[in-house]
Amino acid sequence: MRATRSRIITIATILLVIAGLAGGLTAVLRATRGGGAAPADPRPGHGVQQVDLAQEVADYTRRFGPDHGYRQPGRADRTAVAKAVGLLLDGHRTEAERLLSERDFTVRTVVDRVSGHRYTEVADRTDDAVAPRGWGRVYLDLDHRPRWSVQVPHPVADLGTEQLGVRVLRDSPGGILVIAGAHRKAGIGNAADVAHRRDTVFHAVCAELVRRGMPGVQLHGFAAASVPGYDVVASTGAGSAGRADGRRLAGALGARGFPVCRAWVRDCPLEGHENMQGRAADAAHVPFLHVEFAPEVRAGGSAAERAAASVTEVTRRWATAPVTP
């Protein structure tokens, strides 16, 4: 009888120990997974920040102005940032962070509250300084393999193009948003006019994407009197590799009620033949679209939504096309 009772007590004790171990293990796993918090950063120990990407970009560009600082980057700076973006694309985040930190850039993962998509943000640490360098910002899609870029060379100067860029990035998988870090007139002469310079961080990043065979669409804005009778000027810049994509874009814009000047059909103002990113794409035979929008299209609301939706008809095709560097 005593032996039976002893066995029962022993078994009960063992069961209690097992239950305690299971409970402890469950607690550890919950703590490790964040207990239902925001998705984990791709690397252990780094949290993910929830943001409204449109507001984030608006806050970033709000200080831009003709008298708001710009410092010319050296060759080593340009090369390092572009190389680091390439490392991020190849999945080597630790090495990219080290390289970017040496150039005073930060890397973080953000989740856009509106779309639910995750992005890697590459940002200049001097953005909030009294004298910012103005070297720009990059957002890379973390949920899909990046295959194309949307470029904003003149934020604030071409008012609303930065928000069009956000709309396009949100609505198409596999995108990279490249935003210049200063008003185009912020530097000495045209030093900060990144669309017409090769010696900028903006150009170095775009050139790295071209080297990888990634097509790009660059967003601009024109004054109402510059192109009478049209809402949009669509061009393939210095090359013709994006001609089919340009036709597709022009058709999508026209179907949404926008009169479009097609630069491959007739002479249009602001065709972007001198655009440096377009020239780099042409040299590599990579599709490039240079798109100019009227003020009322960039002002937001329904017109901006329709314009962005037209662009995404092209970028969504790029998202599924093979990239051949």
Side-chain angles (χ1 to χ4, degrees):
M1 188 67 140
R2 288 180 182 176
T4 302
R5 185 179 301 163
S6 177
R7 281 197 299 272
I8 292 171
I9 292 172
T10 300
I11 293 169
T13 302
I14 291 171
L15 290 174
L16 285 172
V17 170
I18 292 172
L21 289 173
L25 181 59
T26 300
V28 169
L29 289 172
R30 283 177 179 169
T32 303
R33 292 172 183 169
D41 187 273
R43 299 181 309 118
H46 288 253
V48 176
Q49 187 169 354
Q50 296 271 348
V51 302
D52 178 333
L53 191 58
Q55 188 60 52
E56 196 76 9
V57 169
D59 291 342
Y60 168 55
T61 59
R62 184 172 289 118
R63 297 173 63 190
F64 289 9
D67 57 349
H68 193 61
Y70 179 76
R71 189 194 315 167
Q72 193 76 36
R75 181 188 296 272
D77 298 315
R78 304 192 305 267
T79 301
V81 176
K83 180 180 179 181
V85 170
L87 287 168
L88 287 170
L89 290 170
D90 292 335
H92 304 304
R93 177 160 174 159
T94 300
E95 190 176 350
E97 283 191 339
R98 178 190 59 77
L99 196 56
L100 287 165
S101 182
E102 291 173 357
R103 301 293 163 178
D104 249 357
F105 274 79
T106 62
V107 181
R108 66 171 179 159
T109 299
V110 298
V111 176
D112 177 34
R113 293 191 193 97
V114 174
S115 66
H117 298 157
R118 298 180 307 148
Y119 300 98
T120 299
E121 177 195 81
V122 177
D124 187 342
R125 271 202 192 100
T126 73
D127 286 343
D128 297 323
V130 175
R133 298 178 301 188
W135 289 358
R137 188 171 286 194
V138 183
Y139 290 92
L140 303 93
D141 188 345
L142 261 178
D143 294 330
H144 309 87
R145 179 183 172 188
R147 292 178 177 271
W148 55 272
S149 72
V150 53
Q151 306 163 15
V152 182
H154 300 146
V156 177
D158 289 355
L159 192 61
T161 52
E162 60 274 15
Q163 291 300 321
L164 276 177
V166 171
R167 289 176 186 266
V168 172
L169 182 69
R170 277 174 167 169
D171 293 344
S172 300
I176 302 170
L177 173 60
V178 188
I179 310 176
H183 191 283
R184 67 185 298 179
K185 294 183 179 179
I188 297 172
N190 76 333
D193 185 358
V194 299
H196 299 102
R197 306 271 306 208
R198 287 191 175 93
D199 55 352
T200 67
V201 170
F202 181 92
H203 180 78
V205 170
C206 291
E208 172 65 19
L209 303 182
V210 163
R211 187 183 72 78
R212 292 165 174 269
M214 294 187 183
V217 54
Q218 194 168 108
L219 309 179
H220 292 261
F222 61 81
S226 299
V227 193
Y230 293 102
D231 289 333
V232 187
V233 176
S235 168
T236 56
S240 58
R243 188 66 56 81
D245 297 311
R247 290 194 183 100
R248 188 171 292 109
L249 173 61
L253 287 161
R256 289 175 171 83
F258 297 113
V260 183
C261 189
R262 296 162 167 82
W264 52 88
V265 174
R266 61 177 59 84
D267 288 336
C268 301
L270 307 170
E271 294 181 353
H273 291 162
E274 303 302 316
N275 183 283
M276 291 298 109
Q277 293 76 54
R279 289 190 170 193
D282 177 45
H285 307 292
V286 171
F288 175 83
L289 297 178
H290 181 280
V291 193
E292 296 266 0
F293 294 99
E296 59 270 21
V297 180
R298 295 177 275 120
S302 171
E305 289 178 5
R306 288 184 286 121
S310 301
V311 176
T312 60
E313 290 200 21
V314 174
T315 55
R316 284 175 182 166
R317 289 178 65 90
W318 286 345
T320 59
V323 175
T324 54

